[in-house]
Structures are given as C-alpha cells and as structure tokens.
Amino acid sequence: MSQAAEWAVEALDLVKVYKEGNILAVDRLNLKIGRGEIYALIGANGSGKTTCINILTGILAPTTGVVKVLGMEMPRDRKTISKYVGVAPQEYSVYHDLTVEQNVRFFGRLYGMSNNELERRMEELLQILRLDERRRSVVANLSGGMRRRVSIACALIHNPQLVFFDEATVGIDPVLRAFFWEYFRSLKKQGLTIILTSHVMDEAEKADRIGLIRAGKLIEEGTPKQLKHKHGADTIEEVFIKLSEGKIVDE
Amino acid sequence: MNNNKQQRRSSRFSFSRTYMVARRILQQIRRDRRTLGMMLMMPTIIMLIFGFSLSGEVKNIPILVDNQDTGYTAHPAPNVEISITAGSKIAAALQNDSRVKYNTGSFDKNRASVDNGTYFAVIKIPANFSETIFQRQRGQNKTAEIQIYIDATKPAIRASIQGALQSALQSIQGGSAFKFNEELAFGGAQYTGLDVGIPSVIGFVLTFLVLLISLITITRETISGTLQRLYATPLTALERLVGYAVALLLLSMMLAGVILGIGILVFGAAVKGNLAVLIFAAVLYALTHVLIAVFLSNFAKNELQAVQMAPLIALPSLALSGMLVPVNSLPEFVQPIARLVPLYYGNRVFEGIMLKGYGLLELAPEFLVIGVIAFLSLILALATVKDRINA
Ligand SMILES: Nc1ncnc2c1ncn2[C@@H]1O[C@H](COP(=O)(O)OP(=O)(O)O)[C@@H](O)[C@H]1O
Ligand SMILES: [Mg+2]
C-alpha cells in the first residue's frame, strides 16, 4: 500500500467496447479523484457510469487505458486493492435468503477480519444505518431502502479507504437520502474517498466534485459552484441541458 | 513500498474465506424449504418408481458356449446309420437366438469372464452329449448334462439365458430329459428384482440430484448479482470453487444417506459387501458430480438453464450406463460412448459392492476411473471459472 499516492483513483484514456453488440460504453475517459473527495459521476441511464465503476473496481477489463487505484495498478493488483476498497453495486447484491447479520459477517470474513473486530464494526454500522432492530431479519423481508442500507453496510464493513456507491441514493425517500448524504459527509471526515454515481442531477449539488458523463465521455468536470458559474446556470440540471445542446440523451 | 509482499499474501489460498463460502451456502439451503424438500422427496419417489419396474426380457446378453460334443454315429443295423450332433444344434439355435450374443471359447478358461462381467454365462456341452442322448433314446437310464456357470444376480438376465437354452434344446429331436448343471457365480448370489434395481437407482439418483442441487446453488449466486460483488473482494476463484464444493459435498452426503437409508432400511436391499465401502463409494461418486456441476455451472446463464442441464446429462447417462440394458446389449457403435459415462462406473461399483460383495480391491479400476473423472472436472472447472465480468 502506498500512502504516498496522491490520487485515490487515476484513469488514463479509458476505452471500453463491449464484445456483445460492439457497444462503445466508455470513450477516452480520464479521471483523477483525490483522497478524501466525494466525487459524483452524473449521467443519464446508459451513459456508462456502471461500466466505469466496474473497470475502476477491477471486475471488468477496459479495452484500452490505464487504471491506478490507491497507487496500485489495476487489474494486476486487483486482489490486493480489493482489501481497501468497498463496493455497493447498483443492484442490492446481497443474499436475500440470509439475515442482515449473516450477510454483513460473510463479507467481513472475506476481508479477513477477526471476530472481535468484525462484531465491533458491525455493531457500529448497524446502529448508524438504523438496521440494528432488523439484524436478524431475512433480507427478502426488508424494504428496498433497508436492503440498500444492508448493501452499504457490506461495502463498509472492512473499513475501506475508498468506496464506490453505484446509484445508492436513487429511488429512495427524501428523508433517507438526506440521511445518506449526512453519513457520506461523516465518512469523508474519517478520510474515506467516496465515488458515487447517479442519474439524478440535483444529487450532484452535494458532492465535492462532479463529472458529467454522456455516451461514455466525460463532458464536464468541476465543483458544483464552478460548473454553475461557468455555464451561467442555477442548477446542475441546467448545466447538463446546456451541455447537451437540447439533444435527448437518455438511453 | 511493500506491494509485492502484500500481493503474495492476498493471493495465497485462504481456508477462512473458503470456509465462509461453504458455510454461507449451507445457511442459504437451510432456509430453502423447496430445495430441502426436493432432497428428501425426490430420492424416495425415484427409488419407488425404478425399484419396482426393473424387470422384463433383455436382448443380446453375452454368453460363451464351449461345445465339446463330438457327435455320435451308431449302426444299430446293417446299412442303418444314425448320426446325432446335438451339441452343434444347440449351438446353432443359440447363435440364432436374439436374447443372447453367442461367443465360443473354453469353459474352464472363461469362468473368470463371468466374474468380471464380460459374459453373463459360460456353457459347456460335454463330449459325450450326443452319445448320452442316443443311449437314452435306446431306453438306458441316462441324463444328458449341460454345465452352466451363470451370473444370477440379475433375475431378468438369468431368465433370458435359461429361456434361450430351453428353446435351443427343443431343436433336438425327442428333447427328453436334460439336466442343467447350473452353478451360480458370486457365491450363489440370487436376488429379487428390487435388490437388483436398487444399486443402479442409487447411482442414478445420486447423479441426477447432486447435479441438480449443485447447479442450482452455484447458479443462484450468478443471478443474485452477488457474484459480481464477490469478484471485487479478496476471495479468489479457487477459494470460491472449493467453498462451493465443500458445501455441496456435505449436502450430497446427506442426499446419499437418504438414498442408501431408503434402499437398505425401507426396501431391505441386499448389501453383500462392506457398508463402509458402499458409503465411501457414494461419497466419491457424489463428489465427482459436484465437481462436474461446478464445471458445468460456468455455462448456465440462469437458474432455468441450470435446472435443465441436470436431466440433460442424467437421462442419457441412464440409457447408456447399463442400468436399463446391459452395455454389452447396446448397439456396437454406442458402446464406446457408454464407457465414458460416469454412471456406467457408478453402477458397476454399487452393484459390485451390494450384489457381488466386492471390496475396494476388486473395484479398484472403477474407483480409479471415477477419481480421474473427478480430477478432470476440477481441472476443467478451474480452467473455465471466471474471476471477473467477461464482456
Ligand atoms: N455486459 C454488457 N454487454 C454489452 N453492452 C453493455 C453491457 N453492460 C452495459 N452495456 C451497455 O453499455 C452502455 C453503458 O451502460 P452502463 O455502464 O450500465 O450505463 P449506466 O450505468 O450509466 O446506466 C449501455 O449502452 C449499455 O446498454
Ligand atoms: Mg448503471
């Protein structure tokens, strides 16, 4: 582990062409995300956000391009990198027929956590994520919002230095969303780097820095303030519409 | 920079991670009533269906005939010649009988071929056979004897051979008193249709259910989206496969226990050999199919495909394994394919232990083949397993 690496994530000229359908999902994308940043990758459905996340977490090989995560090279060091990285995928991606506790323990043990450490950390996470009362419930019996929190608990159990939340805050009620953002801020204070995606533009206002992605290309990047100022807009949504020049980009 | 050291440490096989995968699968199964029910109900139902329906006439049963009959020519009166060639007539009749596949050779040298399953019976027609028939026709109190060394562990096969012999003897004029000197192979072991059916049913049920449960369990991971999540953890593909195999082996052992229990306790199936060897065989056989399933699961994209794969393999195995028809009775060009079917060896092992009283030594070749299939499946599984999204 290199503490010296200044970037949490560095991606150089990433290109991804899916074999099936020959789809260009990521098009010469460059990213530099600093340690302790909350970075939001914002774009319409199908713009390539999940593809990007999958490449950055090492579970999908880019067609060309170089990826460095926490100063190590992807995909060469992916299993080592994975120890310091957490992922909450777009789908809930937890075991529906296991309880909340069983899910969290399973992932914790995969990261080689000791029993004591694991139980302490799980206790903390279940409290913060308001899951402690449902800890012995089977995930299949939980609401969508709760499942998402279970998924986040599984992503954070091993105290990662970098987490990816793919659309973690989409489709949940506003109270829970506000709570998530509060929680993300507190994680940032502990030094965590957070990379999240969303297709909801106003989500971006709360991030430190935003990357706007369209058809696999990073079309604009900066702090919310910078972007709004540069394009003379009141909201990020307006920025996006101006950048799209009226073209319909969804799907 | 201690990058390399950590790299090495993280890629080292972790028993703890493997154990977690196995434990998690067992936790999931415990909650899955449908799969649990299937593991108990299916063997019972299949055992019942097959246990009672394994009878009927069989064709092309390989036998060996040693016709030593020299024939007999008598001159009861001047210018009268009676020539009897009863042995050749019997041989010719057997040759034309579709129930048996006729071979010739030495009776004494080929008794062992019955013991090892090449022939189901060896038959000797003695040198004085025709002469005895002549003497009997002349009113002497003599009986023509035919010596048979026969595998009586399968009633349907034994009945077919006896039927063919009876018909052959009809072809001799005045088909009077013959004596079959029948000697039973395998220490005289004779079984009911049920006894005979059970070993193959055990093999088949194990094949089918172990494949089914293993394929469903592994494929479920792919569908739930958790597999992609596992790709992004330190868990390696090898650890994941071994974890699956360990959990599924434990489940399969439970399955084998149910099957053997029903066969032996409910149906009172005979176990001539050692029960411990039988259990070992069931576990090895189950493990082989767990590994085959681990390999095949790479090719199932969803649970439905996985469910379809099990009968797709189990049913042709059933037809080719010698369970319904002896492999020797299959068309010539199919026989080499049958030799590639694990159930063929499974049947030989379970029959050998339960009916013939064989032990590890006698069944070493079969065990070896099953072990090799298990090993190859593991190698194939490792060679084809995915450790990230392939798109
Ligand atoms: N496995 C795949 N094979 C082929 N095309 C894919 C695959 N996954 C995604 N795509 C395509 O790549 C593009 C980007 O998809 P994705 O990264 O999921 O976008 P987003 O997460 O922004 O909605 C879309 O056109 C999608 O249809
Ligand atoms: Mg997506």
Side-chain angles (χ1 to χ4, degrees):
Chain A
M1 254 315 289
S2 150
Q3 299 296 335
E6 65 187 303
W7 303 108
V9 169
E10 261 183 287
L12 286 175
D13 279 328
L14 279 192
V15 174
K16 178 65 193 181
V17 180
Y18 281 113
K19 288 172 204 150
E20 199 186 306
N22 216 16
I23 291 169
L24 179 66
V26 174
D27 188 4
R28 279 163 294 165
L29 190 117
N30 287 282
L31 272 182
K32 279 199 165 88
I33 297 168
R35 285 175 179 268
E37 246 190 317
I38 300 184
Y39 188 95
L41 201 56
I42 305 288
N45 278 327
S47 56
K49 303 181 298 292
T50 299
T51 305
C52 265
I53 300 282
N54 286 345
I55 292 172
L56 297 182
T57 53
I59 67 171
L60 180 70
T63 308
T64 57
V66 178
V67 178
K68 278 190 168 183
V69 175
L70 302 173
M72 286 172 276
E73 207 171 300
M74 204 59 106
R76 195 195 67 197
D77 302 330
R78 55 184 282 242
K79 286 293 168 190
T80 307
I81 297 170
S82 73
K83 289 181 174 176
Y84 310 100
V85 175
V87 191
Q90 186 166 359
E91 294 84 32
Y92 305 133
S93 305
V94 288
Y95 296 100
H96 284 207
D97 36 11
L98 296 186
T99 65
V100 174
E101 278 185 333
Q102 284 172 334
N103 267 292
V104 177
R105 280 202 192 102
F106 173 67
F107 282 100
R109 293 299 294 273
L110 289 188
Y111 291 101
M113 297 176 79
S114 72
N115 265 338
N116 279 343
E117 196 189 354
L118 176 57
E119 294 301 315
R120 201 172 351 101
R121 176 71 176 156
M122 180 167 75
E123 206 57 47
E124 186 187 325
L125 281 173
L126 294 187
Q127 293 284 342
I128 296 169
L129 292 167
R130 317 272 151 80
L131 285 167
D132 46 330
E133 273 169 25
R134 303 302 300 270
R135 60 198 305 152
R136 291 203 172 79
S137 298
V138 175
V139 169
N141 300 335
L142 298 181
S143 69
M146 282 186 179
R147 286 180 200 179
R148 211 155 272 191
R149 279 179 276 160
V150 176
S151 179
I152 288 176
C154 293
L156 292 171
I157 183 69
H158 58 298
N159 283 307
Q161 300 181 8
L162 166 66
V163 270
F164 293 92
F165 293 126
D166 197 359
E167 313 246 0
T169 54
V170 172
I172 56 175
D173 71 82
V175 180
L176 184 59
R177 188 185 302 175
F179 160 78
F180 271 159
W181 274 102
E182 197 185 312
Y183 183 51
F184 293 165
R185 293 253 151 239
S186 73
L187 289 174
K188 173 192 160 77
K189 276 201 197 100
Q190 295 163 29
L192 198 74
T193 309
I194 300 175
I195 299 175
L196 56 92
T197 73
S198 178
H199 64 263
V200 183
M201 304 298 157
D202 69 339
E203 202 78 294
E205 311 270 1
K206 298 162 182 136
D208 296 337
R209 218 147 55 89
I210 312 169
L212 293 183
I213 183 172
R214 194 180 69 202
K217 274 198 171 80
L218 201 65
I219 53 172
E220 190 59 282
E221 198 182 37
T223 65
K225 223 181 230 168
Q226 283 170 350
L227 292 194
K228 282 186 277 191
H229 185 257
K230 180 174 168 191
H231 294 276
D234 292 329
T235 61
I236 296 297
E237 190 147 16
E238 264 183 61
V239 174
F240 198 81
I241 289 170
K242 284 192 174 168
L243 280 166
S244 303
E245 294 147 349
K247 274 184 273 178
I248 295 170
V249 291
D250 199 4
E251 302 301 321
Chain B
M1 213 61 170
N2 53 352
N3 239 356
N4 280 338
K5 203 158 75 199
Q6 258 168 7
Q7 172 85 7
R8 234 176 297 125
R9 201 188 308 143
S10 68
S11 55
R12 193 183 292 156
F13 188 87
S14 155
F15 286 100
S16 144
R17 288 195 293 258
T18 303
Y19 163 75
M20 277 317 284
V21 172
R23 199 178 99 170
R24 192 209 76 220
I25 285 175
L26 295 175
Q27 282 173 337
Q28 285 180 291
I29 289 280
R30 255 181 50 197
R31 264 180 230 289
D32 184 355
R33 296 259 161 77
R34 188 169 52 113
T35 307
L36 265 182
M38 185 171 78
M39 289 176 60
L40 298 172
M41 288 299 296
M42 294 265 280
T44 315
I45 294 168
I46 302 177
M47 297 277 285
L48 281 169
I49 293 172
F50 282 106
F52 293 114
S53 63
L54 280 168
S55 57
E57 216 169 55
V58 197
K59 290 197 168 189
N60 280 322
I61 303 161
I63 61 166
L64 178 132
V65 177
D66 184 0
N67 180 16
Q68 300 182 353
D69 184 19
T70 53
Y72 188 70
T73 309
H75 297 274
N79 299 326
V80 180
E81 188 182 282
I82 300 178
S83 189
I84 302 180
T85 52
S88 321
K89 279 190 178 155
I90 291 175
L94 286 175
Q95 225 163 339
N96 291 323
D97 195 314
S98 65
R99 282 173 286 192
V100 292
K101 190 163 187 292
Y102 181 90
N103 299 276
T104 55
S106 153
F107 178 85
D108 295 320
K109 283 184 189 151
N110 283 288
R111 286 172 62 98
S113 314
V114 174
D115 296 334
N116 70 25
T118 311
Y119 301 121
F120 283 94
V122 289
I123 297 165
K124 181 164 89 179
I125 305 172
N128 64 354
F129 189 67
S130 293
E131 186 183 358
T132 314
I133 288 174
F134 176 78
Q135 288 167 339
R136 187 175 169 83
Q137 283 169 349
R138 278 306 168 97
Q140 292 185 34
N141 188 18
K142 289 211 169 167
T143 312
E145 289 190 12
I146 291 180
Q147 220 173 335
I148 311 171
Y149 183 62
I150 189 167
D151 176 353
T153 58
K154 291 189 170 165
I157 287 178
R158 184 185 178 194
S160 292
I161 296 173
Q162 286 173 333
L165 261 175
Q166 290 289 359
S167 316
L169 290 171
Q170 299 293 323
S171 65
I172 310 168
Q173 67 260 65
S176 50
F178 295 103
K179 190 174 165 215
F180 288 125
N181 235 336
E182 201 178 45
E183 188 193 347
L184 304 185
F186 307 113
Q190 297 176 66
Y191 299 105
T192 64
L194 182 71
D195 286 332
V196 174
I198 293 281
S200 350
V201 173
I202 289 174
F204 174 68
V205 175
L206 268 179
T207 306
F208 185 59
L209 291 187
V210 171
L211 280 177
L212 191 64
I213 287 174
S214 306
L215 282 166
I216 289 178
T217 309
I218 301 171
T219 313
R220 197 176 278 169
E221 178 104 79
T222 324
I223 306 156
S224 65
T226 46
L227 182 61
Q228 286 200 13
R229 191 170 195 151
L230 293 184
Y231 288 159
T233 70
L235 183 74
T236 64
L238 176 66
E239 288 161 356
R240 188 159 52 84
L241 290 194
V242 175
Y244 291 156
V246 168
L248 291 168
L249 180 63
L250 290 175
L251 287 172
S252 303
M253 282 166 76
M254 191 177 113
L255 200 68
V258 172
I259 294 167
L260 291 180
I262 292 173
I264 296 166
L265 300 175
V266 180
F267 291 120
V271 184
K272 193 155 184 277
N274 189 327
L275 188 63
V277 176
L278 181 60
I279 292 170
F280 168 75
V283 171
L284 176 71
Y285 190 71
L287 174 67
T288 304
H289 283 79
V290 165
L291 294 173
I292 292 175
V294 168
F295 168 57
L296 290 177
S297 66
N298 285 319
F299 305 101
K301 288 200 174 68
N302 53 50
E303 205 164 354
L304 184 66
Q305 284 184 5
V307 169
Q308 287 166 339
M309 260 183 195
L312 215 63
I313 290 166
L315 294 180
S317 300
L318 175 69
L320 292 173
S321 64
M323 176 174 174
L324 301 178
V325 183
V327 172
N328 291 318
S329 309
L330 292 171
E332 295 261 336
F333 71 97
V334 180
Q335 292 188 20
I337 304 169
R339 300 283 194 283
L340 300 174
V341 173
L343 186 54
Y344 170 72
Y345 302 95
N347 277 346
R348 288 174 70 98
V349 164
F350 293 122
E351 274 176 22
I353 299 168
M354 295 179 74
L355 302 181
K356 300 175 180 171
Y358 284 167
L360 286 174
L361 212 62
E362 289 94 336
L363 291 169
E366 280 82 6
F367 277 121
L368 188 70
V369 174
I370 294 175
V372 167
I373 295 173
F375 183 71
L376 284 179
S377 304
L378 179 66
I379 298 292
L380 283 173
L382 284 174
T384 50
V385 69
K386 291 189 208 76
D387 197 20
R388 55 170 148 168
I389 304 167
N390 183 18

